[in-house]
Amino acid sequence: MKEYLNSVVDEASQILSGRAASPDAVLALVTRLHAERQFGPARKLLERISEERAVVEDPKLRLRVAHKRALSTYKDPDLPTETRLELALTILQAADDLKSTTNQETLGQAGAIHKRLWGHTGRERHLETSLGYYLRGLYQGVRNDYGYTAINAAFILDVLADLESPESVPQNRQDDIASERRLKAKQIRASIVEALVPLTQEPQASWLNETWWFLVTIGEAYWGLEEYARAEQWLLRARQLPSVPDWELESAARQLANLFQIQERSDTRAGQGAAAPATAGGHVQQPTSSREYARTVLKSFLGDADAALSSALRGKVGLALSGGGFRASLYHIGVLAKLAELDLLRHVEYLSCVSGGSILGAHYYLEVRRLLRSKADAEITRDDYIKIVQRMSRDFLKGVERNVRTRIAAEWWTNIRMMFCSDYSRTQRAGELYESEIYSRVDDGEGRRPRWLNQLKITPKGELNDFNPKDHNWRRANKVPILVLNATTLNTGHNWQFTASWMGEPPAGTDSEVDANSRLRRMYYWQAPRRYENVRLGYAVAASACVPGLFEPLALPNLYPGRVVRLVDGGVQDNQGTSALLEQGCNVLLVSDASGQMDDQDAPSGGILSVPLRSNSILQSRVRVSQFEELESRRRGGTLTGLMFIHLKKGLEPQPVDWTDCPDPTRSPLTTPLTSYGVQRAVQRKLAAVRTDLDSFSEAEAYALMTDGYLMTEEALEKTCLGFEVNGGPRAAWSFLQLEPLMRERGENTPLLRQLNVANHLAFRVWLLMRKLQLIVGGLMLVLLIWLGYSLKVRWQQPLFKLSLSWTARDLVFSIGSAVVVLAVLSGLSRFTKYRKTVQEILIGLGMSTLGFVVARIHLYIFDRLFLWQGRCRYLLDAAEAAPQDDKPSRTSDVTAMS
């Protein structure tokens, strides 16, 4: 199969390179390319021949080429989504006026394009337009296009009826509209059956009995009429045809599953179940319920594959892990823990990560890769995913406790290297530390060796070597997650993505109507320049977590002609990571957002730096709100069938503030001390303010964040928000849940709150927590000041000391001149050696390699260890146990109230 694909693509490349080929030969090759889903090369071939004289002068051939070209264009994944859809409509319009045409192929493609526009934008008007084109095609006769436009018109009518809601339409009117559309859909399907079934008996149309899409059209018509026994007969006839492309089977199964779910929701709204078919018929025995029978038919159509049936009914599940430093990483562990308990992690097909989410997401991906390569699909259970997250909660915290941020500065040699090597920076050193301190703990045989992103593609045990998760995941019970590490391109301002297969700016999200910047086309690693054929996992993660101002951008020179690509934190462009999931067609989104949300301030600073920083926070907050509103809009519009969106300020209601001397002060809202997910509001506010840094996190901080993510996910998924049932087992033995009682504990000075009160500080946390340390260091400082004062008094009386303070003008000029010469030499050295290091960077490097690394090591080996020691959970639990007995009943009552 792979050899055949390569030969087809090679033949297309030869023609594009100048080899002569007739229009008929190109059209035949395009048909083969479409069968292999190679729409990009097909589009380019058709663009080339569309202006040839033979095509221009032959109206039928010109229209045929336009149809193929429009199809190739709107299905080409290398073009921006909205751009390719609008371009396809332009191609159709140029060849056949869309306002007046009666050509069913043109109308069918126009309807399909507008249906995709609805899926992309969530705007119902595109669905209505799609219906208009399909109905016009239907009116030209069902037999003329063998039911293509008719069956799609019926499906769109059912979708529109399903979208009708009491919130937007009065109840009585809503029932009339929905009922009319459902009735019309049934009438269309009945006309399809009436027109097409007799065709199969006519000798001149016997070829239709061997045509996949024709048989499936009849099967879907019966399916929509809820005559499942007859639908089964036609669907199984189609299923038994040889050489049916896997993607066509998946597409048909998802359409039938969507229709089935619409019918189920219609039954629920009507308050009754559907009647069972009158006769069983078919190839399977009919259960008592028609819906159960429909499931059995669909499963039979899919070859009795439970996993494929489950995938068709559920849709594509995507998980987004936001940025927010190690705070976000630790919070996401709690989310993963609950998803593992609910047996949802096995269904995740896309894992989109940003910044701190990327650091953790790469760790999770390595663990899943190890599992899928060691166990066959049927051998993997819910407990395997629970064990993965249990290991991560232990190993990731150990890596975090190594203090990546400070360790970058604590090594003399790496500081020297960063100072003089143009292609080495703190960002790359951070990536190496992610690998050595965190990812090396994954027991996959790689140890502390560098991990190359392009070598991390997963071929699960028992699958063929050409396994592609995008095409083959739907058949598996345990999906192979596609890892997407999101960064931001400073060159264009667009999203940049690293995966195990390719890197670059994705076409989605680049809207030429409002964005005229270039798009740096994504490339497969085997297509990249030689030096970029291998990309380190740690470097890709570091680019995604490259906080502007703290780390230098990751530079990729000569990847594109005349450009130096510079990548920074993915959170600059999309801190939630949801755009990648929407781009890949996920219709069930699990969004874990632990990003830094803007707080309110009583007296914001008016300083020259504070104002732009605060303004940027306001801008980022607005972007975040817009993204959430877009997701909600898509959910209401039906393009998302499920959405879970949790964040660190969930359940914290905003408080109204009255003006001075307000005559009608606002009453304090009656709120319980606990949030709906069982965390004291004071604790939750402190967790939302925890630093978004890459330094050490104590066990108490880490476990509190993990528990918080776990409890929020637990509460969110108790509701029916995903569009399918979530069935989980009992709670697993999570070590972080030992802090759950303390997170419910009342009081303003609990042991946990004392720990969290300093968790927002970037430095000196251990000093603020340990009174003894403050007293000891304060005493030493006092002794030092006394000694310095005494020494100064003694030396002031010595003549030598007085001479050293008596500088002449010549001394002053010499000192200034020496400093200028040193700076000039450093600057010249920088330009001469093409190191691209500024004087400032060189001076910082000198400072870090002489004094800075000493200070960093003192911090690592003394103060950091003290901070981790005093933040042990056992210390907090013992302190809570030793608290006055009056506090303990309140903790018990809170737990009882929540249960």
Side-chain angles (χ1 to χ4, degrees):
M1 180 65 71
K2 189 173 183 180
E3 291 75 12
Y4 173 76
L5 172 60
N6 290 336
S7 66
V8 173
V9 175
D10 287 344
E11 187 176 350
S13 299
Q14 291 173 14
I15 295 175
L16 290 171
S17 299
R19 197 190 82 184
S22 67
D24 287 337
V26 169
L27 288 172
L29 179 58
V30 164
T31 299
R32 293 162 59 197
L33 287 167
H34 284 180
E36 300 300 327
R37 306 178 82 171
Q38 296 296 310
F39 297 107
R43 173 180 61 83
K44 294 173 184 176
L45 286 172
L46 292 164
E47 284 177 354
R48 176 178 173 178
I49 68 169
S50 62
E51 300 299 327
E52 291 186 5
R53 184 174 180 180
V55 175
V56 174
E57 294 180 352
D58 185 342
K60 290 185 178 179
L61 181 58
R62 185 173 69 248
L63 184 58
R64 186 181 169 199
V65 169
H67 286 159
K68 294 279 189 181
R69 186 182 168 198
L71 177 66
S72 302
T73 300
Y74 82 73
K75 289 192 172 185
D76 185 359
D78 290 331
L79 294 175
T81 305
E82 198 156 353
T83 298
R84 70 180 188 236
L85 296 174
E86 296 291 351
L87 181 58
L89 286 174
T90 302
I91 293 170
L92 289 177
Q93 176 64 37
D96 197 4
D97 187 6
L98 293 175
K99 292 182 179 179
S100 59
T101 183
T102 57
N103 184 286
Q104 288 177 304
E105 176 69 18
T106 302
L107 293 168
Q109 285 202 26
I113 291 168
H114 278 281
K115 185 168 72 171
R116 287 181 178 238
L117 278 168
W118 166 69
H120 174 65
T121 65
R123 298 169 188 159
E124 194 172 321
R125 65 179 177 85
H126 287 304
L127 211 54
E128 295 280 5
T129 306
S130 173
L131 176 62
Y133 284 119
Y134 282 137
L135 286 176
R136 200 194 312 170
L138 161 67
Y139 297 149
Q140 310 312 310
V142 173
R143 280 196 173 203
N144 293 335
D145 67 346
Y146 303 105
Y148 173 76
T149 51
I151 198 67
N152 280 288
F155 179 75
I156 298 297
L157 282 166
D158 275 326
V159 171
L160 285 168
D162 187 54
L163 290 177
E164 299 294 344
S165 62
E167 289 80 13
S168 59
V169 180
Q171 181 65 45
N172 56 348
R173 181 59 182 153
Q174 181 263 332
D175 288 342
D176 291 343
I177 294 173
S179 298
E180 287 173 7
R181 283 177 166 161
R182 292 190 186 98
L183 178 60
K184 188 172 182 63
K186 288 185 179 295
Q187 291 171 344
I188 292 173
R189 293 188 177 104
S191 69
I192 292 172
V193 170
E194 183 180 358
L196 299 189
V197 171
L199 266 180
T200 61
Q201 305 301 321
E202 298 179 6
Q204 68 273 19
S206 59
W207 60 275
L208 290 172
N209 290 300
E210 304 297 323
T211 304
W212 160 266
W213 54 263
F214 177 79
L215 299 176
V216 169
T217 296
I218 298 177
E220 184 181 334
Y222 276 122
W223 185 274
L225 292 170
E226 301 182 47
E227 297 183 30
Y228 299 121
R230 291 178 177 174
E232 180 188 19
Q233 296 173 7
W234 292 93
L235 292 174
L236 291 187
R237 283 178 63 179
R239 184 70 175 84
Q240 291 164 3
L241 293 176
S243 304
V244 176
D246 201 57
W247 66 268
E248 289 194 1
L249 177 61
E250 179 188 3
S251 178
R254 291 193 185 278
Q255 179 101 331
L256 294 171
N258 287 337
L259 189 54
F260 170 76
Q261 290 170 325
I262 288 172
Q263 292 167 341
E264 277 196 320
R265 287 193 290 270
S266 178
D267 291 345
T268 302
R269 294 189 187 104
Q272 59 185 13
T279 58
H283 297 76
V284 293
Q285 186 176 359
Q286 176 184 342
T288 56
S289 165
S290 68
R291 296 292 174 245
E292 293 177 7
Y293 183 60
R295 286 178 180 269
T296 308
V297 171
L298 188 55
K299 180 180 176 182
S300 181
F301 176 59
L302 294 171
D304 291 325
D306 289 319
L309 174 63
S310 177
S311 293
L313 292 172
R314 182 182 299 106
K316 287 186 180 179
V317 180
L319 174 60
L321 303 179
S322 78
F326 282 152
R327 178 185 80 178
S329 304
L330 296 165
Y331 176 86
H332 296 327
I333 289 176
V335 175
L336 293 178
K338 193 61 199 182
L339 294 178
E341 271 186 6
L342 297 175
D343 209 16
L344 284 173
L345 283 183
R346 69 166 76 228
H347 303 307
V348 172
E349 297 194 45
Y350 287 90
L351 179 60
S352 178
C353 310
V354 182
S355 193
S358 293
I359 302 171
L360 179 79
H363 187 187
Y364 172 73
Y365 180 83
L366 292 174
E367 285 281 3
V368 172
R369 178 172 176 262
R370 172 175 173 263
L371 171 65
L372 297 181
R373 292 172 68 186
S374 62
K375 282 190 174 185
D377 195 31
E379 300 172 344
I380 298 174
T381 66
R382 163 183 176 267
D383 287 343
D384 289 309
Y385 287 92
I386 290 176
K387 290 176 182 176
I388 282 177
V389 185
Q390 285 176 332
R391 285 196 298 272
M392 288 177 61
S393 66
R394 178 193 67 227
D395 295 342
F396 193 85
L397 179 56
K398 287 182 179 178
V400 168
E401 289 177 342
R402 296 281 290 168
N403 199 332
V404 170
R405 185 196 67 184
T406 305
R407 200 163 289 277
I408 295 173
E411 297 171 356
W412 176 82
W413 169 244
T414 55
N415 280 290
I416 292 293
R417 183 182 174 190
M418 283 186 278
M419 183 170 60
F420 289 106
C421 293
S422 64
D423 58 350
Y424 193 68
S425 65
R426 287 192 296 275
T427 301
Q428 288 155 304
R429 181 54 187 157
E432 293 168 359
L433 288 171
Y434 297 145
E435 291 185 6
S436 63
E437 304 300 334
I438 300 176
Y439 306 149
S440 65
R441 301 175 190 273
V442 178
D443 187 16
D444 58 359
E446 297 296 327
R448 299 177 71 89
R449 292 193 296 269
R451 296 167 187 265
W452 303 99
L453 188 58
N454 52 293
Q455 296 176 10
L456 293 181
K457 288 184 287 188
I458 301 175
T459 301
K461 183 178 180 180
E463 299 285 357
L464 299 176
N465 289 332
D466 63 350
F467 177 85
N468 183 349
K470 190 171 184 178
D471 296 332
H472 305 136
N473 247 345
W474 75 286
R475 289 184 171 277
R476 291 182 54 85
N478 302 277
K479 313 301 183 187
V480 175
I482 296 177
L483 176 67
V484 182
L485 303 173
N486 295 277
T488 302
T489 317
L490 287 180
N491 307 64
T492 64
H494 297 156
N495 176 226
W496 176 283
Q497 296 175 352
F498 290 99
T499 74
S501 301
W502 49 262
M503 64 178 173
E505 293 181 359
T510 307
D511 190 342
S512 58
E513 288 294 323
V514 295
D515 182 2
N517 289 348
S518 306
R519 179 172 61 87
L520 305 178
R521 289 179 55 193
R522 62 187 183 189
M523 70 201 79
Y524 292 97
Y525 295 113
W526 58 269
Q527 297 174 316
R530 180 173 296 275
R531 66 178 292 188
Y532 295 108
E533 289 179 354
N534 295 295
V535 175
R536 282 189 72 164
L537 172 64
Y539 290 175
V541 171
S544 178
C546 180
V547 181
L550 182 60
F551 295 102
E552 301 97 328
L554 180 70
L556 304 176
N558 301 318
L559 182 58
Y560 298 89
R563 294 175 184 257
V564 178
V565 177
R566 298 191 188 279
L567 305 177
V568 295
D569 196 304
V572 174
Q573 215 272 346
D574 174 14
N575 207 21
Q576 284 65 48
T578 56
S579 59
L581 302 182
L582 296 175
E583 174 201 351
Q584 297 299 335
C586 295
N587 59 335
V588 178
L589 267 58
L590 306 169
V591 184
S592 175
D593 181 12
S595 59
Q597 298 184 42
M598 187 183 71
D599 59 345
D600 57 358
Q601 296 180 359
D602 292 337
S605 173
I608 193 170
L609 291 178
S610 300
V611 171
L613 289 174
R614 183 64 175 176
S615 300
N616 181 67
S617 297
I618 294 171
L619 176 62
Q620 288 292 321
S621 177
R622 180 57 191 152
V623 170
R624 179 178 174 276
V625 170
S626 297
Q627 288 180 316
F628 174 72
E629 289 175 346
E630 180 189 3
L631 295 179
E632 272 294 306
S633 175
R634 287 175 177 271
R635 185 188 63 80
R636 291 192 298 268
T639 56
L640 286 182
T641 59
L643 173 64
M644 180 198 80
F645 193 107
I646 56 175
H647 56 90
L648 279 170
K649 289 194 175 181
K650 184 177 175 63
L652 299 179
E653 297 85 356
Q655 302 295 323
V657 179
D658 298 322
W659 62 89
T660 304
D661 299 328
C662 177
D664 56 339
T666 305
R667 292 185 178 181
S668 299
L670 297 176
T671 57
T672 60
L674 295 181
T675 63
S676 58
Y677 43 91
V679 176
Q680 282 289 333
R681 296 179 187 277
V683 171
Q684 191 58 48
R685 289 190 179 91
K686 294 299 181 181
L687 289 173
V690 171
R691 64 197 179 281
T692 56
D693 204 348
L694 299 175
D695 62 346
S696 292
F697 276 65
S698 68
E699 189 180 58
E701 292 173 326
Y703 280 8
L705 288 164
M706 293 179 197
T707 303
D708 200 47
Y710 177 92
L711 295 175
M712 278 196 197
T713 308
E714 183 176 58
E715 190 255 353
L717 294 182
E718 285 177 352
K719 308 170 186 175
T720 307
C721 64
L722 300 185
F724 55 85
E725 293 295 326
V726 177
N727 299 314
R731 280 188 172 189
W734 303 108
S735 56
F736 55 79
L737 285 182
Q738 62 184 288
L739 275 193
E740 184 179 5
L742 299 190
M743 295 179 69
R744 304 182 192 275
E745 188 176 20
R746 293 183 183 177
E748 299 181 355
N749 194 33
T750 65
L752 179 59
L753 274 176
R754 286 197 296 273
Q755 183 77 22
L756 296 179
N757 279 336
V758 302
N760 62 325
H761 290 266
L762 296 178
F764 304 113
R765 289 183 300 279
V766 67
W767 303 84
L768 297 172
L769 281 170
M770 299 184 68
R771 178 72 64 180
K772 291 180 180 179
L773 184 61
Q774 295 174 13
L775 294 174
I776 292 172
V777 174
L780 291 175
M781 291 295 295
L782 181 60
V783 171
L784 179 62
L785 286 173
I786 294 174
W787 179 80
L788 285 175
Y790 177 77
S791 300
L792 186 62
K793 179 181 178 182
V794 172
R795 292 183 62 84
W796 184 265
Q797 298 172 354
Q798 298 178 4
L800 183 61
F801 185 81
K802 291 182 179 180
L803 288 175
S804 66
L805 294 177
S806 303
W807 277 25
T808 65
R810 183 182 63 182
D811 296 329
L812 182 62
V813 171
F814 178 79
S815 300
I816 295 174
S818 299
V820 170
V821 169
V822 170
L823 291 176
V825 168
L826 290 174
S827 180
L829 179 65
S830 172
R831 288 194 296 270
F832 178 75
T833 58
K834 298 182 180 180
Y835 282 154
R836 300 185 183 90
K837 296 287 185 178
T838 66
V839 172
Q840 180 183 8
E841 289 173 316
I842 294 175
L843 291 176
I844 291 174
L846 285 172
M848 293 305 299
S849 58
T850 54
L851 180 62
F853 89 96
V854 175
V855 175
R857 285 194 173 267
I858 291 173
H859 176 77
L860 283 175
Y861 290 110
I862 299 178
F863 300 112
D864 209 43
R865 291 185 178 184
L866 282 173
F867 172 69
L868 295 177
W869 172 80
Q870 59 77 39
R872 293 175 304 166
C873 284
R874 174 48 49 194
Y875 176 81
L876 267 68
L877 291 169
D878 289 344
E881 190 64 27
Q885 294 297 315
D886 293 341
D887 290 344
K888 294 181 181 177
S890 65
R891 294 199 297 270
T892 306
S893 62
D894 285 344
V895 175
T896 305
M898 285 302 302
S899 62

